[in-house]
Amino acid sequence: MASEKGSSRISGFYRKSIEERVAIAAEKADLTAEEVELLGSGGGLTLDVADRMIENVVGTMAYPLGLAVNFRVNGRDRLVPMAIEEPSVVAAASNMARLMREGDGIEAGCTDPVMIGQIQILDVPDVGAAKKAVTEAKGELIELANQQDPVLVRFGGGARDIQLREVDSEAGKMLVLHLLVDCRDAMGANAVNTMCEVLAPVVEKLTEGRVLLRIISNLADNRLARAEAVVKKEAIGGEQVVDDIVSAWAFADADPYRAATHNKGIMNGIVAVALAFAQDHRALEAGAHAYAARDGRYRSLTTWSKNEDGDLVGVLEVPMAIGIVGGATRTHPVARLCLKLMGVSKATELAEVMASVGLAQNLGALRALVQEGIQHGHMRLHARNLVVMAGAEGDLVDRAVEALVESGEIRFDRAQEVVKRLKG
Ligand code: MEV
């Protein structure tokens, strides 16, 4: 066994065969023989299940599922399933998680899982009177909302508050009611939308206006996840690298053209985990980018700074509207398996790990960008694929990768030559 049971620190995981990796994961997460088989089943979704998930099903489409290793979040080691088509992402997350655990690991936290439902109210004759009426009826409105989801209420969630906003728009002034709902372990879109639809007629009466939209907001700024890590300057390549990463972050924070790419890199990690857990990743993307623009300018979702010891300090704060009960997480067998692989029993735990992966992913990109450039790692991975395709196995793989990278010509014909030569 490469490491002790509860540890996610697995050196050379990427060098092992798929069978060896699965065996390690199975040992660590106590997977059954059926679960191991599911991992190798080409996506794990039968046509029958797929047909119940969406409309007009004609097939299924699989993504590679990788495990990021080395993550330690709030003192607990986690294997992190990531589904993604882009090379380097899983490797970068694992490498940066290793550097972060050499400090104190990653500290992460969450707000309560509170989502916002919006009710748009038009043609309100007297906004002051309407606000007063809604405020006075707040208790009854919250009670009516909670009657729609007794299960959520039983689990400690439910409607919490009502807020009113006046919005000036191209179509004139409108009143917008926000219903704040604690969704506990659910993502909550269904619960929130149902509650808003039920409240609408009552809100119309109270405001003497006309309700138009009743829908969840993906700017989930009451449902935030936060991850913070200190990376020792020696671990990242010295104080100059720390300074350069801070400058690279400052570029993103100041310039939307750079911030879009910087935040895309963060979402590489978050969305890959989201896909593995069959989450609504479009909701996460929408929430993250809207949050990045919350003070009127699109900025970095992370901050990177240097502390008094010269070490690098990174923080990511991002809306994290995810759930582990209901929805596709429960219907997709691989998503259920991922819960077991990561050892997650609460949505907030998953949210904290996802924020941690986003932070590590961002550091991976920044570190590469300020040092050797982003193509170097990609090309090494590409070289690895080529030499394996050219017939390299076992120890020969690493030697062939070195030789191919050194040759400066990372092409299949060169890989074939290199492998042939090394095989002697
Ligand atoms: C590529 O998928 C992501 C990066 O472009 C992110 C970044 O530039 O920070 C490497």
Side-chain angles (χ1 to χ4, degrees), residues 76-379:
R76 179 159 170 198
D77 277 31
R78 304 275 188 183
L79 290 176
V80 182
M82 300 175 82
I84 189 159
E85 88 300 342
E86 184 174 330
S88 302
V89 171
V90 179
S94 302
N95 286 337
M96 294 306 112
R98 180 172 48 77
L99 301 192
M100 287 170 169
R101 72 186 285 136
E102 281 168 18
D104 290 331
I106 304 168
E107 290 298 319
C110 269
T111 62
D112 280 342
V114 174
M115 297 297 289
I116 298 167
Q118 294 195 292
I119 300 180
Q120 177 194 21
I121 316 156
L122 305 176
D123 309 328
V124 176
D126 181 341
V127 170
K131 281 178 151 177
K132 189 163 176 280
V134 170
T135 307
E136 281 169 7
K138 209 188 230 187
E140 289 127 73
L141 290 168
I142 289 176
E143 202 180 310
L144 179 60
N146 281 333
Q147 281 164 12
Q148 310 315 308
D149 204 330
V151 177
L152 182 59
V153 174
R154 192 158 6 103
F155 280 96
R160 291 274 180 268
D161 198 8
I162 284 176
Q163 295 168 351
L164 289 161
R165 297 170 53 231
E166 285 173 59
V167 173
D168 279 320
S169 79
E170 289 290 325
K173 215 183 201 39
M174 46 191 81
L175 192 59
V176 178
L177 183 151
H178 279 192
L179 177 68
L180 271 56
V181 184
D182 183 326
C183 297
R184 294 286 98 193
D185 284 323
M187 188 274 186
N190 278 331
V192 171
N193 292 340
T194 304
M195 289 177 181
C196 287
E197 290 189 5
V198 166
L199 293 194
V202 186
V203 169
E204 280 192 333
K205 273 208 193 94
L206 290 166
T207 59
E208 295 177 30
R210 182 168 68 90
V211 165
L212 199 56
L213 303 194
R214 298 137 296 163
I215 186 74
I216 198 162
S217 168
N218 287 126
L219 175 48
D221 59 1
N222 281 272
R223 193 178 196 172
L224 299 172
R226 187 176 192 279
E228 174 164 0
V230 178
V231 180
K232 296 255 179 279
K233 56 180 179 294
E234 303 79 28
I236 197 83
E239 199 149 348
Q240 184 61 52
V241 178
V242 171
D243 288 337
D244 286 349
I245 288 175
V246 173
S247 298
W249 159 76
F251 175 22
D253 203 48
D255 175 20
Y257 286 93
R258 172 60 202 147
T261 322
H262 175 100
N263 290 341
K264 187 271 184 185
I266 294 169
M267 298 313 284
N268 274 347
I270 291 177
V271 169
V273 183
L275 269 176
F277 287 83
Q279 299 295 314
D280 182 346
H281 51 92
R282 289 84 55 211
L284 292 170
E285 290 276 8
H289 296 296
Y291 192 66
R294 67 191 175 281
D295 45 54
R297 178 161 59 83
Y298 184 81
R299 301 176 65 174
S300 164
L301 285 164
T302 49
T303 53
W304 292 97
S305 58
K306 184 165 79 166
N307 69 13
E308 58 282 5
D309 299 326
D311 297 332
L312 184 64
V313 183
V315 178
L316 169 66
E317 188 182 79
V318 66
M320 202 62 87
I322 52 128
I324 62 166
V325 296
T329 326
R330 284 290 152 188
T331 38
H332 200 304
V334 176
R336 284 202 305 271
L337 178 51
C338 286
L339 287 171
K340 193 167 169 187
L341 274 169
M342 197 192 268
V344 158
S345 57
K346 289 204 298 258
T348 44
E349 280 177 80
L350 177 57
E352 286 166 3
V353 174
M354 287 172 74
S356 305
V357 175
L359 184 67
Q361 210 71 61
N362 187 220
L363 179 61
L366 294 179
R367 194 214 56 78
L369 286 166
V370 303
Q371 292 188 293
E372 70 278 2
I374 211 73
Q375 283 309 95
H376 184 260
H378 279 299
M379 291 321 275

